[in-house]
Structure formats: structure tokens, C-alpha cells
Amino acid sequence: MKLKRNFNSSGQSGQQQNKAQAEPEPLYASLDENIRKIKMDLGNSTDIIIREIRSGKDKRTKVAVLYTDGLADKQVITDFFMDSLMQDSQIEPIEQISENDNRMESLKGMALQIGDNKEITDFSSLYNSILSGDTVILLDGCLQGISASTQGWKSRGISEPVAQSVVRGPQEGFTETLRTNTAMIRRKIKDQNLWLETKQIGSVTKTDVAIMYIKGIVNDKIVEEVHKRLDKINIDGILEGGYIEELIQDEPYSPFPTINNTERPDVAAAELLEGRIAILVDGTPFVLIVPTLFISFFQTAEDYYLRADISTLLRIIRFICLFIAMVGPAIYIAITTFHQELLPTQLLISLAAQREGVPFPAFIEALIMEVTFEILREAGLRMPRPIGQAVSIVGTLVIGQAAVEAGIVSASMVIVVSITAISSFVITGYSMAISIRMIRFIIMGLAASFGIFGIVVALIALVLHLCSLRSFGIPYMSPFAPLVLSDLKDTIFRLPHWAMSSRPRLINQKNVIREQMSPPTKPKT
């Protein structure tokens, strides 16, 4: 498979690169020197808690416990660290061993009773642990420290997805916590081949980014390409998955998204079972899915929870709405401007009567209404939810009615723009809907200049552009172009589950068989 890449990650200054490649500074043997340096490097921040205690026999062993207030669980620190360190009987054996022995290992085995812990030997790892919510223990005279997982910050609970709600199906969505999101996927796929790899991206934010895929189903070349593109990212901060999407996408100058996203664990699990890869970013409830296809933006989770005939009907409606949202106003402009003979006489007379007092051509009329509706849509999104809904509904009704009465636009144009706007909401992928809205204005301009001929040329150019796109080496328009007949069972038409026995062949090439099931038979009476 040919995998291509069209972006070069932005270079950093030589000073930043040298800093990133510099060797980490090791810890000091003196506890006082370590604490002094930590306070200096962290600006003596008040949320960095440093508890110095004396433990062991006769309280002669100096120990420091470091954590970040608000990120670490204080109850866990008190139960598993402070109580253990303050008990002489558990620390006493440390003073009985020689200096050449690893006293930190003895402390790790005797004093700590928490599961996830590791050794740290340098300040870079120490800072990363503290600022990630872990607790670090430093022992005077030791060149190592212990980092234990005590993360306990407040997080949003699991709730219903906002952008991808369904009538039938699971009513749970991802949260902003990475570990919660990975657990929700593992709860749906209980297989040892579900692999998870985590890396940190961002020289300042050090954001955790997880890559999940099913070994044996996924294409190993695509996994390598994902790692390659992520490793090329050289940026100071990653605050949301959109950063990652923009930096690793195949076509940065195409209006069409080549990376899909979802906030539903069931959708992510279904994509993994087809051989795709999920990229989870800490701090966002949206999971990136690669590779993605054009058809993926018109499929919903509910399509697989309803019967096949109902799902097929709903998908056909979505594609009809796609056509209306893209060329609806353009067709109206072209017919009323150049091709009036295509209309019945009565309809033509009615449209002419409506446009009698309108001072603008059809294109300007449509442009005014489209821009007005986009302003109302954006205002409704940015304002508080109760007020935003009122502004969108009342504003659209009042402005539309007033524009018609003032003679600025015709009533038929208000109808066309309204149907177009409603059709754009039917498109399930939000990023795809925005792309269609952008292209609509270009097609409107061509229709105003060349009529139906301009629309046809625009659609041909659009199809050629879509066929040239790739998502991590996979043709964007597959299985239509190239045509793969066996994969058409889950595109515009959704066949029953027993008929979808194979995975998409262009995405998965080594474990194609998904199920071996025969059609259901009627019971004998």
C-alpha cells in the first residue's frame, strides 16, 4: 500500500531543539539540594506541596513527599504514604542495610502499598510525575525517587453525547479524562489483542495521546504511519484533538475532512473492529478515527441498531439532503436566471410575480439570505443555550418575514434557503456539514455565471477532487472509487448483519472475515 504525506512539521529554533535533546539532569544525593532545586525550577509555586518528615528508627531518616494540590488524591496520600512512613516498625530495616544497597527499593517494598509505582532518576521525570498528578517520594542519601500513581482530580462524569445523540442505542459518551475513555472502549472489546500505546506530545503541555487498535485486524502499515506522523509533531502544546487532526491529515488544503471523530464509545469500538485506529487525546471527549472514508460521515451508530430496511431509508434521505444542501440554491439561481423554460408556466408566473419588486438578481438575493442564516446559526451556537435557541428561531422567523415584506428577497427564496439549511443539519458529520456549506457558495457563483453548465462543471471537479484524496493511504471515495463490490453492502444501502460477513478490504487485508453466519430461517410449524 502506498502511504503519502504532504506536510512538514514546523521547525523549532535551534535553542529549543538543543533543549529537547539535552540529557536530563540526575537527582542529587542530598535531599535538601533536591528540594531547593525543585522549588527554584517550579517558581516556588504554592500548589506544589512538599512535605518533609523524619522516619525510621530514632527519626533519623529524612523523607520528602511531593505532589500537586488539586491533581493528586490527598486521601490516598494520607492512607498509603504518610501513615506508612510514620510507622517506625516498617522503616526500621532501611537503616540496617549498607549504603551500597538500594535503600529506595527497601522503602518501596516496605512502606508503599499502592500498585502503580516506578523509579525516577532525573528531575525531568520528577517534574512530569508531579505535574501529572502522581506523588513522588525522595529519600535523603539516595539518587533515586519513587513515583506512585495518585491521580485524583475532579472530572466530568459520563453523560449522554451532545453532538451525536441517538434514539436507540447506548446513551454514554466520552469524557475529558483519557483513562476513562480507554476503559469505556475496553469494556466493549474484551480482547487481549486490543492494544494501547501512549505517548506525550507537546513540549510544554506534555499531553498524553493514546493509540488504540486491534492487533491481527488492523493494517500494520497504517499503524506505523500513524506513529510516524505523530512523532513528527514538534509543537509546544496540544489542547484538543483538533491540533492532532490538523497536523497529521493527508490534505491540509482540502475542504473535506480526511480524519473522522466521535464522542461515542460504541462507534469507536465498531471502527476498531473494522480495522481502523483510534487516537485518544487527554482533555477532549472526541476521539479521532483513522483512516476514514467519505461514506463514514453519513453513517450513524443508530444505523446498526435499527432494522436494515429502516437504516437504508434513512441513509438515502441523508444523501438526498446532501444534494439539496450542496446545490439547492444554485439550481434555483440557474433556473430563474437562465433556464426559465424548465419551469411550468403557472410556477414561472408565480415566481415572476414574487420577484417583481425585488431589486437584486437571484444570486445576490440568495447570498443575502445565506449569509444572514449563517450569522444566526453562529450566534445561536455561541450564546448561552436557552438564549441561543430563542435567537435562532425568533431571529430566522422575524428577519425572513421582514425581508419578504420589505421587498428585499422573494418568498420563494426564503423557502429554498430554509430547506437548504435544514438539509445541512441532517448530515451527521459536523465537519463534513461545514465543508458542504463552504462549497455551496462556490457553486452558487458558478450557477449565477454559467447556469446549469456551471453546476455540472462544479460537480465534476468536486468528484475528481474527492477521488484524488487519501486518508492514510486509503482512497477517500472507496468502495465507490476504486469500486469494490463486496464493500458496497454498508454504504448507501445497509444490508442485514448476517450479510455483512467481511470487513472493508481496502482497510483490512489480512483478517477479512468478520462472521460466518447464514440467513435466518423460519421455524417449522
Side-chain angles (χ1 to χ4, degrees):
M1 183 192 310
K2 181 179 179 182
L3 299 172
K4 67 177 183 178
R5 190 70 191 103
N6 294 329
F7 83 93
N8 292 322
S9 56
S10 58
Q12 300 285 331
S13 63
Q15 182 179 0
Q16 290 177 326
Q17 291 181 351
N18 293 336
K19 181 179 179 180
Q21 298 174 357
E23 291 293 332
E25 185 177 357
L27 296 175
Y28 302 134
S30 172
L31 180 62
D32 294 335
E33 292 184 9
N34 288 331
I35 294 177
R36 189 180 303 110
K37 178 173 176 54
I38 292 170
K39 290 182 177 180
M40 181 180 64
D41 291 347
L42 297 180
N44 203 19
S45 300
T46 55
D47 62 338
I48 305 299
I49 309 301
I50 301 177
R51 295 283 302 274
E52 298 183 56
I53 60 177
R54 289 186 176 271
S55 186
K57 190 176 181 179
D58 298 331
K59 304 298 182 183
R60 290 183 298 178
T61 303
K62 296 173 62 177
V63 183
V65 179
L66 303 90
Y67 61 92
T68 302
D69 189 16
L71 296 182
D73 191 333
K74 293 183 180 179
Q75 189 63 39
V76 173
I77 296 174
T78 301
D79 294 342
F80 290 95
F81 294 123
M82 296 303 181
D83 293 346
S84 298
L85 292 174
M86 294 299 292
Q87 293 179 11
D88 295 348
S89 59
Q90 296 204 16
I91 308 299
E92 183 177 0
I94 296 177
E95 297 186 349
Q96 298 176 2
I97 61 179
S98 62
E99 287 191 17
N100 294 331
D101 294 329
N102 192 339
R103 297 194 296 164
M104 185 55 68
E105 280 294 328
S106 180
L107 178 65
K108 183 177 180 180
M110 298 175 185
L112 301 184
Q113 302 168 9
I114 195 168
D116 187 10
N117 53 66
K118 60 182 180 180
E119 279 194 10
I120 55 176
T121 58
D122 56 82
F123 284 100
S124 177
S125 301
L126 184 145
Y127 296 147
N128 187 36
S129 297
I130 294 177
L131 299 177
S132 297
D134 297 338
T135 298
V136 173
I137 293 183
L138 298 178
L139 188 63
D140 190 27
C142 288
L143 295 175
Q144 300 88 21
I146 292 179
S147 172
S149 178
T150 58
Q151 298 174 352
W153 57 74
K154 299 295 181 181
S155 60
R156 180 173 64 92
I158 299 175
S159 59
E160 182 180 354
V162 178
Q164 299 175 350
S165 59
V166 296
V167 177
R168 179 178 179 179
Q171 303 295 326
E172 59 180 5
F174 288 120
T175 68
E176 287 76 15
T177 306
L178 177 63
R179 193 53 64 218
T180 301
N181 295 340
T182 58
M184 293 174 72
I185 295 178
R186 284 207 179 270
R187 190 164 63 91
K188 294 185 178 297
I189 304 179
K190 305 177 182 68
D191 187 82
Q192 70 274 13
N193 292 320
L194 179 59
W195 288 11
L196 172 65
E197 302 177 21
T198 306
K199 58 182 64 182
Q200 288 187 340
I201 301 179
S203 58
V204 177
T205 60
K206 293 180 174 62
T207 305
D208 291 326
V209 177
I211 304 170
M212 294 191 76
Y213 56 90
I214 301 179
K215 188 68 175 178
I217 296 180
V218 72
N219 190 326
D220 294 332
K221 292 183 179 179
I222 299 180
V223 176
E224 295 175 2
E225 182 69 12
V226 170
H227 280 286
K228 180 181 177 181
R229 297 188 187 185
L230 291 177
D231 292 338
K232 281 186 177 181
I233 297 178
N234 191 2
I235 194 172
D236 57 353
I238 298 292
L239 301 179
E240 210 273 338
Y243 287 64
I244 300 291
E245 179 180 355
E246 191 170 349
L247 291 171
I248 68 174
Q249 62 184 348
D250 287 72
E251 300 290 343
Y253 301 109
S254 174
F256 294 96
T258 54
I259 296 178
N260 200 1
N261 64 80
T262 181
E263 60 174 340
R264 298 185 58 87
D266 55 335
V267 174
E271 300 286 7
L272 291 173
L273 290 172
E274 285 196 347
R276 292 183 173 88
I277 302 171
I279 302 176
L280 300 89
V281 181
D282 190 25
T284 176
F286 289 90
V287 172
L288 303 180
I289 304 295
V290 296
T292 190
L293 308 177
F294 178 79
I295 191 67
S296 301
F297 294 95
F298 302 92
Q299 299 171 340
T300 65
E302 205 168 17
D303 290 347
Y304 304 94
Y305 306 144
L306 300 174
R307 294 203 321 266
D309 52 351
I310 299 176
S311 301
T312 299
L313 175 61
L314 295 178
R315 286 189 181 180
I316 293 175
I317 292 176
R318 292 188 200 116
F319 280 96
I320 293 175
C321 291
L322 168 65
F323 181 79
I324 295 175
M326 184 180 298
V327 300
I331 292 177
Y332 177 84
I333 293 171
I335 291 178
T336 56
T337 305
F338 296 100
H339 311 285
Q340 296 90 347
E341 67 278 2
L342 296 178
L343 297 175
T345 305
Q346 287 297 112
L347 180 58
L348 180 61
I349 293 174
S350 175
L351 292 178
Q354 294 178 24
R355 293 187 46 80
E356 184 178 1
V358 178
F360 305 109
F363 173 68
I364 301 299
E365 186 182 359
L367 191 63
I368 292 174
M369 290 304 300
E370 287 287 350
V371 172
T372 302
F373 189 84
E374 293 296 332
I375 293 174
L376 290 173
R377 189 206 308 255
E378 191 67 17
L381 288 175
R382 304 307 164 199
M383 296 182 68
R385 183 170 300 179
I387 303 176
Q389 294 177 354
V391 169
S392 299
I393 298 174
V394 177
T396 303
L397 293 175
V398 171
I399 292 178
Q401 183 66 27
V404 173
E405 293 180 355
I408 298 177
V409 297
S410 62
S412 58
M413 180 58 73
V414 174
I415 296 174
V416 171
V417 172
S418 299
I419 295 177
T420 302
I422 295 173
S423 299
S424 66
F425 288 123
V426 179
I427 301 175
T428 56
Y430 180 71
S431 54
M432 177 62 70
I434 296 177
S435 302
I436 299 302
R437 285 154 55 186
M438 294 168 52
I439 295 171
R440 181 166 65 228
F441 288 97
I442 299 176
I443 299 178
M444 285 168 51
L446 293 174
S449 302
F450 307 103
I452 297 294
F453 176 76
I455 298 177
V456 173
V457 171
L459 293 179
I460 293 175
L462 189 63
V463 171
L464 292 176
H465 174 70
L466 288 172
C467 292
S468 68
L469 297 179
R470 286 178 174 265
S471 176
F472 286 80
I474 305 299
Y476 192 57
M477 289 301 293
S478 61
F480 302 107
L483 181 63
V484 182
L485 295 177
S486 61
D487 291 348
L488 293 177
K489 56 186 176 293
D490 190 20
T491 52
I492 299 178
F493 301 94
R494 206 276 281 176
L495 298 185
H497 287 290
W498 52 264
M500 296 190 296
S501 59
S502 60
R503 297 183 176 88
R505 295 183 181 273
L506 288 178
I507 297 176
N508 183 283
Q509 298 178 351
K510 60 181 180 180
N511 189 352
V512 178
I513 302 301
R514 179 175 9 215
E515 62 180 349
Q516 294 183 1
M517 195 172 181
S518 58
T521 58
K522 293 183 179 181
K524 296 182 179 180
T525 56

